[in-house]
Amino acid sequence: MARTILITGGSTGIGQALARHFAEGGDAVIITGRRPGPLKETAAAVGARGLVCDHTRPEALTALLSELPDRIDVLVNNAGGNTDFDADGADDLASYARDFRANLDANLVSAALTTKALEDRLAPGGAVVHIGSIASDQGAGSYGASKAGLATWNLDLAGRLGPRDITANVVAPGYIADTEFFRDHLSSERRDQLIAGTATGRPGTPSDIVGPVGFLASPAARHITGQVLHVNGGALMTR
Ligand code: NDP
């Protein structure tokens, strides 16, 4: 039976690669995003259904629910990014609070709200996969804190969903090129530095994330839950 897979933020980058992968595998794929243009384009290109939604907004999620099927097999909480790249540079305390909260909203609250909204529809044998980040172990201010919070919050989620035979894990990428993540904020020096930090000597690509997410969503990974799977070419090593 074809699975129904919801990928948040599926118009570009990692989410788009995931949408293409699951659709090619015969799954029914739904992608979301805030900008209708890229969403429509990607949905048509990969054979997915595109639904506009801002995952930081509860009312948008309530509206999304009315468009979604009753059963979701796999939820990929991919929407997010470092909102500091869009900040206006103001340094007063009120701006700091606003910008800090923006990252928490974009990466942590969005995933928690989406999962909460869909929790009753998640099917036994299913999976929730969040896209975390190497930043949760390496800093990066409120962005890193938001992704660290996501991994910690996932522990509780995994415990809650486990009895229903639903897994919940985080895939934490290192530097991934060919996405809209960095806007125009990545200097060639910083890029070289990020690549030099890997053992593989190359940037990651969205396709590097596809296999790990596909695995965690597959029948082969039913006893893996509450984990963080690092995908960074060795830029962060664990034991
Ligand atoms: P992209 O910017 O290309 O993808 C992010 C997607 O999420 C966009 O399509 C964006 O579309 C969507 N999105 C963002 N916020 C929301 C929201 N509130 N509601 C709905 N959709 C949203 O970058 P990546 O593919 O690189 O990022 C995917 C994930 O990977 C992110 O969570 C990011 O933090 C993480 N990551 C990326 C790394 C990298 O080096 N690229 C490294 C580590 C983690 P729209 O603006 O239209 O809503």
Side-chain angles (χ1 to χ4, degrees), residues 98-196:
R98 180 199 61 206
D99 294 345
F100 203 107
R101 289 189 177 119
N103 254 327
L104 295 182
D105 269 352
N107 297 288
L108 171 58
V109 177
S110 63
L113 280 180
T114 305
T115 310
K116 170 83 178 156
L118 284 170
E119 211 166 304
D120 292 346
R121 301 196 192 185
L122 295 173
V128 180
V129 183
H130 315 286
I131 305 301
S133 174
I134 193 172
S136 62
D137 291 285
Q138 292 189 336
S142 56
Y143 174 66
S146 71
K147 293 294 194 181
L150 177 62
T152 305
W153 174 77
N154 182 61
L155 302 176
D156 175 62
L157 180 70
R160 206 164 64 241
L161 296 182
R164 290 172 51 198
D165 188 23
I166 300 164
T167 61
N169 293 289
V170 177
V171 168
Y175 167 46
I176 304 292
D178 306 327
T179 81
E180 295 184 356
F181 179 87
F182 288 98
R183 314 286 194 263
D184 56 355
H185 290 271
L186 187 64
S187 67
S188 56
E189 291 78 19
R190 178 68 182 141
R191 182 178 186 276
D192 291 348
Q193 198 182 31
L194 289 170
I195 294 169

Side-chain angles (χ1 to χ4, degrees), residues 8-16 32-36 38-39 52-57 77-83 105-107 110 131-135 143 147 150 171-183 194 204 206 209:
T8 72
S11 307
T12 62
I14 293 169
Q16 184 187 79
T32 61
R34 292 166 299 184
R35 292 166 297 165
L39 182 70
V52 172
C53 180
D54 179 344
H55 289 263
T56 64
R57 296 177 52 226
N77 284 316
N78 165 78
N82 189 343
T83 51
D105 269 352
N107 297 288
S110 63
I131 305 301
S133 174
I134 193 172
Y143 174 66
K147 293 294 194 181
L150 177 62
V171 168
Y175 167 46
I176 304 292
D178 306 327
T179 81
E180 295 184 356
F181 179 87
F182 288 98
R183 314 286 194 263
L194 289 170
I209 307 305

